[in-house]
Coordinates of all heavy atoms in Angstrom, one line a residue:
S1 N 62.8 -17.5 -24.4 CA 64.0 -16.6 -24.3 C 65.2 -17.4 -24.8 O 65.6 -18.4 -24.3 CB 64.3 -16.1 -22.9 OG 65.5 -15.4 -22.8
E2 N 65.8 -16.9 -25.9 CA 67.1 -17.5 -26.5 C 66.9 -19.0 -26.7 O 67.8 -19.8 -26.4 CB 68.2 -17.3 -25.5 CG 68.6 -15.8 -25.2 CD 69.0 -15.1 -26.5 OE1 69.6 -15.7 -27.4 OE2 68.9 -13.8 -26.5
G3 N 65.7 -19.4 -27.2 CA 65.5 -20.8 -27.5 C 64.9 -21.6 -26.4 O 64.5 -22.8 -26.6
W4 N 65.0 -21.1 -25.1 CA 64.5 -21.8 -24.0 C 63.0 -21.4 -23.8 O 62.6 -20.3 -24.0 CB 65.2 -21.4 -22.7 CG 66.6 -21.9 -22.7 CD1 67.7 -21.3 -23.2 CD2 67.1 -23.1 -22.1 NE1 68.8 -22.1 -23.1 CE2 68.5 -23.2 -22.4 CE3 66.4 -24.2 -21.4 CZ2 69.2 -24.3 -21.9 CZ3 67.2 -25.2 -21.0 CH2 68.6 -25.3 -21.2
K5 N 62.2 -22.4 -23.5 CA 60.7 -22.2 -23.4 C 60.2 -22.7 -22.1 O 60.4 -23.8 -21.6 CB 60.0 -23.0 -24.5 CG 60.4 -22.6 -25.9 CD 59.6 -23.3 -27.0 CE 59.9 -22.8 -28.4 NZ 59.1 -23.4 -29.4
L6 N 59.4 -21.8 -21.5 CA 58.8 -22.1 -20.2 C 57.3 -21.9 -20.4 O 56.8 -20.9 -20.7 CB 59.3 -21.1 -19.1 CG 59.1 -21.4 -17.7 CD1 59.8 -22.6 -17.2 CD2 59.5 -20.2 -16.8
F7 N 56.6 -23.0 -20.1 CA 55.1 -23.0 -20.2 C 54.5 -23.0 -18.9 O 55.0 -23.5 -17.9 CB 54.6 -24.2 -21.0 CG 55.2 -24.3 -22.4 CD1 56.4 -24.9 -22.7 CD2 54.5 -23.8 -23.5 CE1 56.9 -25.0 -24.0 CE2 54.9 -23.8 -24.8 CZ 56.2 -24.4 -25.0
V8 N 53.3 -22.4 -18.7 CA 52.6 -22.3 -17.5 C 51.2 -22.9 -17.7 O 50.4 -22.4 -18.5 CB 52.5 -20.9 -16.9 CG1 51.7 -20.9 -15.6 CG2 53.8 -20.3 -16.8
D9 N 50.9 -24.0 -17.0 CA 49.6 -24.7 -16.9 C 49.3 -25.4 -18.2 O 49.6 -25.0 -19.3 CB 48.5 -23.8 -16.6 CG 48.5 -23.3 -15.1 OD1 49.1 -24.1 -14.3 OD2 48.0 -22.3 -14.8
Y10 N 48.7 -26.6 -18.0 CA 48.2 -27.4 -19.2 C 47.1 -28.3 -18.7 O 47.2 -29.4 -18.3 CB 49.4 -28.3 -19.8 CG 49.1 -28.8 -21.1 CD1 49.1 -27.9 -22.2 CD2 48.8 -30.1 -21.4 CE1 48.8 -28.4 -23.5 CE2 48.5 -30.6 -22.6 CZ 48.5 -29.7 -23.7 OH 48.2 -30.2 -25.0
G11 N 45.9 -27.7 -18.7 CA 44.7 -28.3 -18.1 C 43.6 -28.5 -19.2 O 43.8 -28.2 -20.3
E12 N 42.5 -29.1 -18.7 CA 41.4 -29.3 -19.5 C 40.5 -28.1 -19.6 O 40.5 -27.2 -18.7 CB 40.5 -30.5 -19.0 CG 40.0 -30.2 -17.6 CD 39.3 -31.5 -17.0 OE1 39.3 -32.5 -17.7 OE2 38.9 -31.4 -15.8
Q13 N 39.8 -27.9 -20.7 CA 38.9 -26.8 -20.9 C 37.7 -27.1 -20.0 O 37.3 -28.2 -19.8 CB 38.6 -26.6 -22.3 CG 39.8 -26.3 -23.2 CD 39.4 -25.8 -24.6 OE1 39.1 -24.6 -24.8 NE2 39.3 -26.7 -25.5
L14 N 37.0 -26.0 -19.6 CA 35.8 -26.1 -18.9 C 34.7 -26.5 -19.8 O 34.7 -26.3 -21.0 CB 35.4 -24.8 -18.2 CG 36.4 -24.3 -17.2 CD1 35.9 -23.0 -16.6 CD2 36.7 -25.3 -16.1
L15 N 33.6 -27.2 -19.3 CA 32.5 -27.6 -20.1 C 31.9 -26.4 -20.8 O 31.7 -25.4 -20.2 CB 31.5 -28.3 -19.3 CG 31.9 -29.7 -18.7 CD1 30.8 -30.2 -17.7 CD2 32.0 -30.7 -19.9
G16 N 31.6 -26.6 -22.1 CA 31.0 -25.5 -22.8 C 32.0 -24.5 -23.5 O 31.6 -23.6 -24.2
A17 N 33.3 -24.7 -23.2 CA 34.3 -23.9 -23.8 C 34.4 -24.1 -25.3 O 34.1 -25.2 -25.8 CB 35.7 -24.1 -23.2
P18 N 34.8 -23.1 -26.1 CA 34.9 -23.3 -27.6 C 35.9 -24.4 -27.9 O 37.0 -24.5 -27.2 CB 35.2 -21.9 -28.1 CG 35.8 -21.2 -26.9 CD 35.1 -21.8 -25.7
A19 N 35.7 -25.1 -28.9 CA 36.7 -26.1 -29.5 C 37.1 -27.0 -28.4 O 38.3 -27.3 -28.2 CB 37.8 -25.4 -30.1
T20 N 36.2 -27.5 -27.6 CA 36.6 -28.4 -26.4 C 37.3 -29.6 -26.8 O 38.2 -30.1 -26.1 CB 35.3 -28.8 -25.7 OG1 34.6 -27.6 -25.2 CG2 35.6 -29.6 -24.5
D21 N 37.0 -30.2 -28.0 CA 37.6 -31.4 -28.4 C 38.9 -31.2 -29.2 O 39.5 -32.1 -29.7 CB 36.6 -32.2 -29.3 CG 36.1 -31.5 -30.5 OD1 36.4 -30.3 -30.6 OD2 35.5 -32.1 -31.3
K22 N 39.3 -30.0 -29.4 CA 40.5 -29.7 -30.2 C 41.8 -29.8 -29.3 O 41.9 -29.1 -28.3 CB 40.5 -28.2 -30.7 CG 41.6 -27.9 -31.6 CD 41.5 -26.5 -32.1 CE 42.7 -26.1 -33.0 NZ 42.6 -24.7 -33.5
K23 N 42.7 -30.7 -29.7 CA 43.9 -30.9 -29.0 C 45.0 -29.9 -29.4 O 45.2 -29.7 -30.6 CB 44.4 -32.3 -29.2 CG 45.6 -32.7 -28.4 CD 46.0 -34.2 -28.6 CE 47.2 -34.6 -27.8 NZ 47.6 -36.0 -28.0
L24 N 45.6 -29.3 -28.5 CA 46.6 -28.3 -28.8 C 47.8 -28.9 -29.4 O 48.3 -30.0 -28.9 CB 47.0 -27.5 -27.6 CG 46.0 -26.4 -27.0 CD1 46.5 -25.8 -25.8 CD2 45.7 -25.4 -28.1

């Protein structure tokens, strides 16, 4: 909102999730 950014959660993917080794 208006250049301000609020993020919710930043965890690891569960085993078997797609692109597990891809860093955001």
Side-chain angles (χ1 to χ4, degrees):
S1 177
E2 302 294 335
W4 291 85
K5 296 184 176 184
L6 195 63
F7 297 89
V8 182
D9 288 336
Y10 196 71
E12 61 189 358
Q13 299 191 88
L14 301 180
L15 290 172
T20 301
D21 58 349
K22 182 180 179 182
K23 186 176 178 180
L24 286 178

